[in-house]
């Protein structure tokens, strides 16, 4: 799985991962198929120590706009935090796997400009991150 995003929550962060198998053999558009995973982390968090050996690079850094999406910014913005999802297809808001309650929309992610380092949501697709506050569960899916 490929790390996609680290997003702030009211009490912690959500880390988002998705399948980037080549060729695309996984159902990475489905929040419950196992090809995506989002984890909620709470409590004291700190940055990982940079390894003493090997290359550590971050090829693309992206800014997300706090909701509303129409606020202008000089940064290259590829998504937004909060508000309501702007679905490309139908509403696919997932239910929490622990309590079966409809999850809360957290963020919308868009593909980046650099093919080598950006998320691949099928070409002009969009990713959607959700979480369940009481259960500390998270989910991710995408549409195109």
């Amino acid at each position: 799985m490929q790390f996609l995003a680290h997003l702030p929550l009211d009490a912690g962060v959500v880390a988002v991962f998705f399948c980037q198998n080549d060729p695309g053999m996984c159902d990475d558009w489905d929040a419950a198929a196992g090809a995506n995973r989002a984890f909620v982390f709470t409590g004291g968090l700190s940055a990982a120590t940079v390894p003493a050996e090997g290359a550590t690079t971050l090829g693309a850094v992206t800014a997300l706009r706090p909701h509303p999406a129409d606020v202008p910014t000089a940064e290259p913005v590829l998504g937004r935090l909060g508000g309501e999802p702007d679905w490309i297809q139908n509403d696919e808001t997932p239910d929490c796997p622990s309590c079966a309650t409809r999850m809360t929309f957290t963020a919308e992610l868009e593909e980046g400009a650099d093919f080598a380092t950006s998320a691949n949501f099928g070409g002009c697709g969009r990713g959607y991150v959700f979480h369940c506050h009481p259960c500390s569960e998270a989910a991710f899916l995408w549409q195109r």
Side-chain angles (χ1 to χ4, degrees):
M1 296 192 109
Q2 175 181 332
F3 172 72
L4 179 62
H6 185 234
L7 305 166
L9 297 174
D10 291 338
V13 297
V14 61
V16 180
F17 299 84
F18 76 133
C19 176
Q20 284 294 275
N21 191 36
D22 186 15
M25 299 291 290
C26 44
D27 296 339
D28 55 357
W29 58 86
D30 186 341
N36 302 311
R37 194 63 176 110
F39 298 95
V40 175
F41 296 99
T42 59
L45 300 174
S46 60
T49 305
V50 176
E53 297 180 20
T56 303
T57 60
L58 184 60
V61 176
T62 307
L64 295 175
R65 254 182 220 165
H67 180 73
D70 60 352
V71 176
T73 179
E75 296 176 309
V77 176
L78 293 176
R80 62 187 176 84
L81 297 168
E84 293 296 323
D86 183 16
W87 295 106
I88 293 174
Q89 299 175 20
N90 297 320
D91 184 337
E92 294 184 56
T93 301
D95 292 332
C96 175
S98 295
C99 71
T101 302
R102 186 175 167 97
M103 298 181 96
T104 302
F105 175 71
T106 303
E108 192 170 282
L109 308 173
E110 298 173 16
E111 294 183 0
D114 183 354
F115 178 76
T117 59
S118 68
N120 177 9
F121 300 137
C124 43
R126 214 176 278 143
Y128 305 91
V129 182
F130 298 86
H131 78 283
C132 176
H133 295 274
C135 299
S136 291
E137 294 276 0
F140 173 75
L141 63 98
W142 65 268
Q143 294 181 345
R144 89 176 183 127

